DNA sequence: AAATGCCTAGGTATATATACCTAGGCAAAT
DNA sequence: ATTTGCCTAGGTATATATACCTAGGCATTT
């Protein structure tokens, strides 16, 4: 830890933490407190609250979790990258699936670090994205190379999100069709498109995706 | 931090952290470092590894997460409460569903705190269970009163948990049958029993239950 | 005007899951 | 020794999901 910093010359990098687990927040605060060229200006535990805080505080970097109440980190990133182009988003997630990473990059994230990375790497990643660079954890970078991003491919339409939500809640295609007053063949077509877009294989994958993306409550 | 402790007079409460999120571990370490009557002797991120460590270190208290690779916290607690009766298990989870809490208590946990509780309460809970008392977060205690434990009702057998885990991962009954070298009719029978026991209706309910109970990773 | 993307929906066939039923082997508990 | 619970598994039937195919209406974009 290098606490020997010249506070007057270089302005600190302002960081907004967004994570719905208090203990993760505490861990990050504790780990990053040693570095005096970055300053955590606030910690939020909710996606939509994070948007408000970001608009007001205009931080240099947002360290953003993915799974959160109200608004997931990917969608929040997409909004932020339009509204606040000078604020860099660094995704901080425990998920390392290709869809997640691709979505994050397309949404405008400047980096992606896993929750099992060291605090030194998180610090390094924050400084990197603050400078306008990118930083991806080793396994993520490898994945981006092996699994190149296909732009706009894995993004669900509103209709698809609605249908996926019902499906993940346990309704059959027939039931969803009744609710939406459309043919169950149409619902099936949407199911196919959803699985194809997201490269998901099974019903269980659909449910897990829906949970991870906040389309359905976990309980 | 006030590490000014008289090491000779009062022995420290030895604590083993078990949580698969490094940042949660970091957060706990940072928060608990201020209290010099407890000492974190190790931090493990895997259920079965936690068992080994506990057998060797014989800590006073284990702060145990529920969802973990290889062996979930509830099952680990059950084994530990038999093997190491002097080691108290304090569940540290973000899940507050009645089934979770009931399972934890029946497995022999001495307390249950949610991940959004303050570090002071976590500290207090550790000292409480170390003394042989119990400690439950307010909402958990309330739930235990409103939702009294129904012994042995909603408990899956080991076999059922294994099968549910595979199913929630997206394997079909046929695939599970191949993996376990049993008939797919048997797998189907287990599916029926699981849904009946847990009063679940749909495939999606099974997946959500598995996720909420740590039988399968979310991603 | 033409193209694109989205929502819609049907034909046909197969795969998988579910709902009933019955039932034997086996270990632990009583 | 009997009971109990668990794991096993088959018969039969239906319901649902999936995998191929095609295709029209409609709004937005180019």
């Amino acid at each position: 830890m290098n606490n020997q910093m010249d506070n007057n010359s270089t302005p600190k990098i302002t960081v907004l933490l967004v994570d719905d687990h208090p203990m993760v927040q505490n861990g990050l605060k504790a780990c990053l407190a040693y570095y005096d060229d970055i300053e955590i200006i606030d910690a939020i535990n909710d996606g939509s609250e994070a948007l408000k805080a970001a608009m007001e505080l205009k931080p240099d970097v947002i360290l953003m979790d993915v799974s959160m109440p109200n608004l997931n980190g990917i969608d929040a990133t997409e909004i932020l990258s339009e509204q606040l182009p000078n604020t860099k988003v660094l995704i901080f997630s425990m998920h390392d699936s290709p869809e997640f990473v691709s979505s994050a990059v397309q949404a405008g994230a400047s980096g992606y670090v896993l929750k099992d990375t060291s605090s030194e790497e998180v610090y390094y990643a924050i400084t990197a994205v603050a400078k306008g660079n990118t930083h991806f954890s080793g396994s993520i970078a490898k994945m981006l190379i092996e699994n190149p991003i296909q732009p706009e491919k894995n993004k669900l339409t509103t209709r698809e999100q609605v249908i996926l939500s019902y499906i993940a809640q346990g309704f059959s295609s027939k039931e969803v069709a009744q609710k939406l007053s459309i043919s169950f063949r149409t619902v099936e077509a949407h199911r196919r498109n959803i699985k194809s877009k997201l490269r998901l294989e099974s019903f269980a994958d659909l449910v897990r995706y829906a949970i991870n993306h906040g389309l359905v409550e976990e309980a």
Side-chain angles (χ1 to χ4, degrees), chain A:
Chain A
M1 11 189 145
N2 56 343
N3 293 20
Q4 317 306 330
M5 252 299 281
D6 189 356
N7 284 348
N8 333 3
S9 65
T10 319
K12 291 189 179 188
I13 301 170
T14 53
V15 177
L16 175 65
L17 293 187
V18 183
D19 196 303
D20 66 330
H21 293 2
M23 279 303 160
V24 174
Q25 285 191 3
N26 288 337
L28 283 168
K29 285 180 190 169
C31 293
L32 299 177
Y34 294 100
Y35 305 99
D36 49 12
D37 53 341
I38 64 180
E39 180 188 7
I40 297 174
I41 54 178
D42 206 351
I44 311 288
N45 54 24
D46 169 298
S48 53
E49 291 297 321
L51 276 188
K52 293 181 196 167
M55 297 304 180
E56 187 183 338
L57 299 170
K58 294 183 174 45
D60 297 317
V61 176
I62 299 179
L63 196 55
M64 176 92 74
D65 190 14
V66 173
S67 46
M68 275 183 303
N70 292 331
L71 181 67
N72 72 64
I74 303 289
D75 291 344
T77 299
E78 191 160 16
I79 296 170
L80 283 169
S81 64
E82 292 175 5
Q83 307 269 335
L84 294 175
N86 291 329
T87 291
K88 308 298 181 185
V89 176
L90 178 59
I91 301 292
F92 182 65
S93 169
M94 57 185 190
H95 303 298
D96 61 352
S97 65
E99 309 90 43
F100 256 87
V101 180
S102 295
S103 301
V105 173
Q106 287 172 59
S110 298
Y112 198 116
V113 290
L114 296 175
K115 283 193 179 176
D116 62 356
T117 57
S118 66
S119 54
E120 289 81 10
E121 188 182 328
V122 174
Y123 163 72
Y124 179 79
I126 289 174
T127 59
V129 301
K131 288 175 193 160
N133 300 322
T134 60
H135 182 90
F136 294 89
S137 287
S139 58
I140 301 295
K142 191 180 170 193
M143 180 186 304
L144 283 173
I145 294 169
E146 293 174 349
N147 219 320
I149 294 171
Q150 296 168 2
E152 303 298 325
K153 280 280 178 178
N154 52 2
K155 204 172 160 187
L156 297 185
T157 67
T158 307
R159 195 59 156 176
E160 287 165 345
Q161 287 184 37
V162 170
I163 287 173
L164 177 53
S165 170
Y166 279 122
I167 289 171
Q169 285 171 53
F171 296 106
S172 69
S173 294
K174 193 186 286 184
E175 289 169 329
V176 175
Q178 287 172 353
K179 283 179 180 293
L180 299 177
S181 299
I182 57 178
S183 163
F184 84 99
R185 302 307 303 268
T186 303
V187 178
E188 287 182 330
H190 282 301
R191 284 179 85 121
R192 260 179 281 125
N193 290 336
I194 292 168
K195 286 169 66 173
S196 172
K197 274 190 183 179
L198 304 177
R199 292 184 203 151
L200 301 179
E201 303 258 324
S202 67
F203 199 138
D205 290 335
L206 279 181
V207 178
R208 293 209 304 278
Y209 179 93
I211 289 176
N212 288 334
H213 288 69
L215 295 174
V216 65
E217 294 297 313
E218 289 190 30

